[in-house]
Amino acid sequence: MTPVLRFAPSPNGLLHLGHAFSALTNESIARRLGGRLLLRIEDIDIGRSRPEFVEAIRDDLAWLGIRFDGEIRRQSEHFDDYRRAAERLRERGLLFRCGCTRAELSAAAGLDPPRDPDGAPLYPGTCRRHPPPLERPCAERLAMDVAGARASSPLFWTAFSDNGEEERRADPSRWGDAVILRKDVPASYHLAVVVDDALQGVTHVVRGADLEPATDLHRLLQELLGLPTPRYHHHGLITDAAGEKLAKSRMSEPLRAHRERGTSPAEIRRMFGFAQNPTPST
Ligand code: GLU
């Protein structure tokens, strides 16, 4: 079976050096495994995604000399796939409607609530105890205790690296009653990523270490939806001079600023220790 990898940026800003490193890591592993490399645009956040960022992403990746196989998948064109997957969870009684607003959630959280790995307070269960009226716009959340009890236990995922493979125990409960369908769009990052990885036949997920805790929840969703589970490699994060992880939200310098200053794609590859692209595109 040919390995399949994917690079999956969100078009809510310009790519920075951290994305370049992630895309080049995917390229290098795909090449080593003799696999295919897909590009997926993760644009379910329709309020923040912009067509001009999609164009800029494609242009920056082409400039870096990374070639992708197959069609580009844009998540915003596939909400039906995510709706269908959510329906399967709903039929099994694993979802509940949640009408809590951001303000209600932060008021309920108090001063020092238990938090998920992203730092958000764990859901306090308000709408599980008091289901919201049907006319209220709602998100849908995973009833984590019910979901955990339905899945195999313990649950593992496979981490791979140059040193081989290793089983990691998944602890999805640390995400609490995670949002599966958002209030504004019929999808969420966690649902869309597992549905797409399965639909696209992804066998090896290569992404930043900041997403490693999310893998526990992804593994649980795969199990509940009967989807295959890829192997995972979470690479280190590129930091700035102050040691902070690069992020669009911190206005990290975009890749194209390096390009405009005359840095070449070969220099970027060398900076990260990747060999020159053997057949550079023009
Ligand atoms: N879209 C995510 C990001 O840009 C990546 C998701 C993934 O690789 O699973 O951070």
Side-chain angles (χ1 to χ4, degrees):
M1 198 172 74
T2 309
V4 180
L5 289 83
R6 85 310 193 269
F7 177 59
S10 305
N12 52 18
L14 294 170
L15 299 186
H16 51 63
L17 281 178
H19 296 107
F21 178 67
S22 194
L24 290 166
T25 306
N26 266 285
E27 180 197 59
S28 145
I29 295 177
R31 196 175 284 160
R32 203 172 65 226
L33 297 176
R36 287 160 51 78
L37 178 59
L38 310 178
L39 177 62
R40 181 161 82 221
I41 299 294
E42 300 213 322
D43 59 350
I44 58 164
D45 197 339
I46 45 185
R48 289 171 65 216
S49 298
R50 299 260 179 282
E52 56 270 30
F53 289 134
V54 177
E55 277 319 300
I57 286 170
R58 296 181 60 172
D59 185 57
D60 285 348
L61 294 169
W63 173 77
L64 273 175
I66 301 180
R67 278 186 308 278
F68 292 92
D69 299 297
E71 302 245 303
I72 297 176
R73 181 172 171 97
R74 292 186 63 150
Q75 291 188 323
S76 60
E77 294 169 359
H78 299 279
F79 284 119
D80 280 350
D81 291 331
Y82 315 132
R83 261 194 214 101
R84 268 196 294 274
E87 178 57 29
R88 296 221 294 282
L89 298 173
R90 196 180 298 120
E91 278 166 358
R92 297 184 61 196
L94 297 173
L95 299 186
F96 66 92
R97 296 172 62 250
C98 170
C100 293
T101 61
R102 227 175 265 265
E104 285 165 346
L105 288 173
S106 74
L111 280 184
D112 191 17
R115 293 177 185 273
D116 73 19
D118 281 347
L122 291 185
Y123 185 64
T126 323
C127 290
R128 281 184 82 168
R129 289 188 298 274
H130 308 287
L134 282 178
E135 61 282 3
R136 185 157 179 186
C138 278
E140 286 185 75
R141 291 178 179 271
L142 188 66
M144 182 56 81
D145 51 355
V146 185
R150 297 272 179 87
S152 2
S153 171
L155 199 56
F156 294 97
W157 53 268
T158 305
F160 75 96
S161 70
D162 286 346
N163 303 324
E165 296 193 344
E166 195 184 294
E167 295 299 292
R168 301 268 167 88
R169 189 170 175 160
D171 177 12
S173 68
R174 58 187 173 149
W175 289 96
D177 296 339
V179 172
I180 296 298
L181 292 184
R182 290 162 38 154
K183 201 182 289 187
D184 57 340
V185 287
S188 62
Y189 161 63
H190 299 299
L191 182 68
V193 86
V194 298
V195 168
D196 284 356
D197 284 341
L199 283 175
Q200 295 189 286
V202 172
T203 58
H204 294 72
V205 170
V206 174
R207 60 186 178 189
D210 50 341
L211 289 171
E212 181 158 350
T215 307
D216 289 5
L217 179 55
H218 298 174
R219 182 67 192 88
L220 174 65
L221 291 174
Q222 286 154 1
E223 164 105 353
L224 297 169
L225 291 164
L227 303 175
T229 177
R231 291 167 157 63
Y232 290 88
H233 174 71
H234 297 100
H235 58 70
L237 300 176
I238 303 299
T239 51
D240 61 18
E244 294 280 342
K245 151 187 137 170
L246 301 183
K248 290 171 200 151
S249 55
R250 260 197 293 280
M251 307 294 278
S252 293
E253 192 174 43
L255 192 56
R256 50 187 51 201
H258 295 268
R259 175 175 171 181
E260 279 153 19
R261 276 203 305 274
T263 309
S264 71
E267 281 168 304
I268 296 207
R269 283 173 181 267
R270 258 198 312 276
M271 173 164 88
F272 293 137
F274 293 108
Q276 177 58 286
N277 192 339
T279 48
S281 54
T282 46

